[in-house]
Amino acid sequence: MDYQRIIANTNRDNSFMRHNGILLTQMEKDRAVVEADLTETNRNLYGAVHGGMFLTMADCASGGAARSNGMRYVTVSNSFEFYSNSKGSHLIAEGKVKNRGKTICVVEVEIKDDTGKLLCGGTFTMFCVGKLDLDSPTNGS
C-alpha cells in the first residue's frame, strides 16, 4: 500500500479538510493521524475549541484509518464524548481500526492537544463503498 501517495492525495484533494486546516500526517495499516493548527475560526464564543472541530477531526482520522486497506469508506454512525477542552494551538487525532469486516469497519479515535492531554474520543462505524483509485481525485481522499 502506498500510504505516502494516499496522504499526499488526501491533503491535496480533500477540500473539506483543507477548509478546516486539517492535514493527514500519518497512515499505516489500520491507523491514521490527522493534525490541525488552531485559529480563531476553530474556536467557540469562549475561546475554546469548537466541538464541531473535534468531531470533524475525529471523522477524518477514522476515515483515514479505515481507508488504510485500500478501500473507500463513508461514515455510517459515531458515538463521541468530550472530556476536556484546550486553549492550546494544535490538535492531534489518531484513529485505530478495532474491527474490520467486508463492508463495515469500526474505528476508535482519540484527540489530544499539543501537551498530550486527552480531550475527547469516540467510535466510528464506516461503510465500504469501493476500491480506492489513487489516479482519481475523488477516490484518493
Side-chain angles (χ1 to χ4, degrees):
M1 186 69 48
D2 189 349
Y3 295 121
Q4 290 307 312
R5 188 169 177 202
I6 297 172
I7 290 170
N9 284 8
T10 299
N11 290 334
R12 181 191 68 222
D13 298 333
N14 191 316
S15 59
F16 184 74
M17 286 177 60
R18 280 196 327 270
H19 173 77
N20 287 287
I22 300 169
L23 285 173
L24 178 60
T25 58
Q26 297 176 42
M27 181 184 272
E28 60 191 50
K29 184 179 185 307
D30 294 337
R31 181 181 170 274
V33 174
V34 299
E35 300 185 43
D37 289 325
L38 298 171
T39 66
E40 65 182 32
T41 61
N42 308 116
R43 299 185 184 281
N44 63 22
L45 182 62
Y46 310 111
V49 181
H50 191 283
M53 181 63 176
F54 285 127
L55 195 53
T56 295
M57 287 188 69
D59 190 48
C60 293
S62 66
R67 287 185 296 119
S68 71
N69 72 339
M71 302 300 281
R72 295 182 300 132
Y73 289 82
V74 294
T75 306
V76 174
S77 67
N78 69 72
S79 172
F80 201 71
E81 297 174 344
F82 300 94
Y83 310 125
S84 187
N85 209 311
S86 175
K87 292 195 178 184
S89 62
H90 190 78
L91 295 178
I92 302 161
E94 180 179 19
K96 294 180 181 179
V97 172
K98 295 298 177 187
N99 187 55
R100 185 186 296 281
K102 289 182 181 180
T103 57
I104 297 293
C105 182
V106 178
V107 181
E108 293 287 330
V109 179
E110 289 187 345
I111 300 180
K112 298 178 180 179
D113 67 9
D114 42 7
T115 69
K117 179 181 178 183
L118 179 63
L119 304 173
C120 50
T123 303
F124 286 72
T125 302
M126 312 299 286
F127 180 75
C128 183
V129 294
K131 189 164 176 56
L132 272 178
D133 177 0
L134 295 179
D135 295 321
S136 171
T138 58
N139 281 328
S141 60

